[in-house]
Amino acid sequence: MNVNRIIAHLALPPDACSPNFHGHWRSRYKATKSYREQSHIEFLWLARGCRWPEGLSVTLDVEYNCCKSAVGYKPRDIANAMAALKPAIDGMADAEIVKSDAKQWVQWGEFTLRTTAPELKRAGVVPGVIITVNRQE
């Protein structure tokens, strides 16, 4: 099956995936490992049957939707949101959608950060992360 785009709907990363987390290293490790495994399973499921040539780079378009009542990490800016998604990108690499998470294989495209309930309601979305993986030729 020839597909140029994969769209993954993930939960918000745990608070311990935040670059500003100041808890115990073991809780960060557990949270990061768990989120990486969850995203790995999601990407494996979505990529079944897709045959992308070896060594393709991808562009990621991300919608990070959170609000005060949501469970998970609520970043204040795009840089922190991107850093919190590192385990998800690693999970995508584990699913062999890309060779690795190096910048020659994965590039950031459009990144939308919604942080209030009215923004989510206007956009018609629920809290979570939507990652669109666009294949580059």
Side-chain angles (χ1 to χ4, degrees):
M1 183 162 65
N2 190 8
V3 178
N4 291 325
R5 174 179 295 158
I6 296 173
I7 301 173
H9 296 265
L10 303 172
L12 291 173
D15 288 332
C17 289
S18 160
N20 300 320
F21 179 73
H22 297 293
H24 194 271
W25 67 267
R26 188 177 300 143
S27 57
R28 176 186 288 256
Y29 172 78
K30 282 183 177 181
T32 300
K33 182 179 179 185
S34 173
Y35 194 62
R36 181 177 182 158
E37 288 173 353
Q38 289 171 17
S39 63
H40 175 215
I41 291 167
E42 178 73 14
F43 280 110
L44 273 178
W45 174 253
L46 292 170
R48 70 192 185 288
C50 294
R51 301 280 183 233
W52 285 8
E54 187 83 19
L56 264 181
S57 63
V58 298
T59 301
L60 302 179
D61 294 329
V62 177
E63 289 183 43
Y64 197 112
N65 305 307
C66 62
C67 60
K68 285 184 180 180
S69 63
V71 175
Y73 177 56
K74 298 160 208 62
R76 295 204 169 127
D77 59 23
I78 290 176
N80 285 330
M82 287 174 144
L85 289 176
K86 172 80 166 88
I89 308 308
D90 290 340
M92 183 179 67
D94 293 344
E96 297 180 355
I97 292 177
V98 291
K99 199 169 190 175
S100 77
D101 64 345
K103 66 180 178 181
Q104 73 187 71
W105 307 112
V106 178
Q107 296 163 8
W108 293 98
E110 187 175 322
F111 199 104
T112 306
L113 176 62
R114 297 183 187 96
T115 57
T116 63
E119 283 182 302
L120 298 182
K121 190 172 183 178
R122 264 185 264 123
V125 294
V126 296
V129 179
I130 302 170
I131 300 177
T132 305
V133 183
N134 299 300
R135 175 178 138 172
Q136 293 181 348
E137 296 295 328

